[in-house]
Amino acid sequence: MPVTLVNPDGLPKPDVYRQMSIATGSKLVFLAGQVARDAEGGRVGEGDLAAQIEQAYLNIGTALAEAGGSFDDVAKLTIYVVDWTPDKMPLLGEGVARAAAKLGIDPVKPITLLGVAALGEPDLLVEVEATAVID
């Protein structure tokens, strides 16, 4: 694996993400923010945060397959959620879990979660950027 996920000693050890990834691969992939759109650009999960995060993760998996990798090669994610409040965490977790089951992956990665006022289109609730390292 070109990416090793670590919770270093001396830092908190959260269950839902890792503090750091150590990359040793040779191909660095920067993926634009993925949203709740299918391959034809159709809307997915309008008004449903869990469905939208699931689709964004699935889109990341699709894009990385094109680059010769998989979601397992993700070194870091940045998740932008419209009008974020902590009570949305279960929905976020539900969407991630559903995507992980479909992709057959461990979704626990270093993550930066940001609450934003809006995204590029009014129906979007979440956008997920990924950086991956592929051997």
Side-chain angles (χ1 to χ4, degrees), residues 7-68:
N7 272 329
D9 289 338
L11 293 179
K13 296 181 178 19
D15 293 330
V16 296
Y17 68 94
R18 295 296 174 262
Q19 296 285 9
M20 180 170 64
S21 63
I22 302 167
T24 58
S26 58
K27 187 189 310 184
L28 194 55
V29 179
F30 298 94
L31 184 58
Q34 296 301 299
V35 297
R37 296 289 185 261
D38 62 21
E40 291 76 39
R43 294 176 176 174
V44 175
E46 201 160 352
D48 182 343
L49 180 61
Q52 289 198 16
I53 192 77
E54 176 184 5
Q55 185 64 46
Y57 269 58
L58 294 174
N59 290 350
I60 290 168
T62 298
L64 291 175
E66 178 73 20

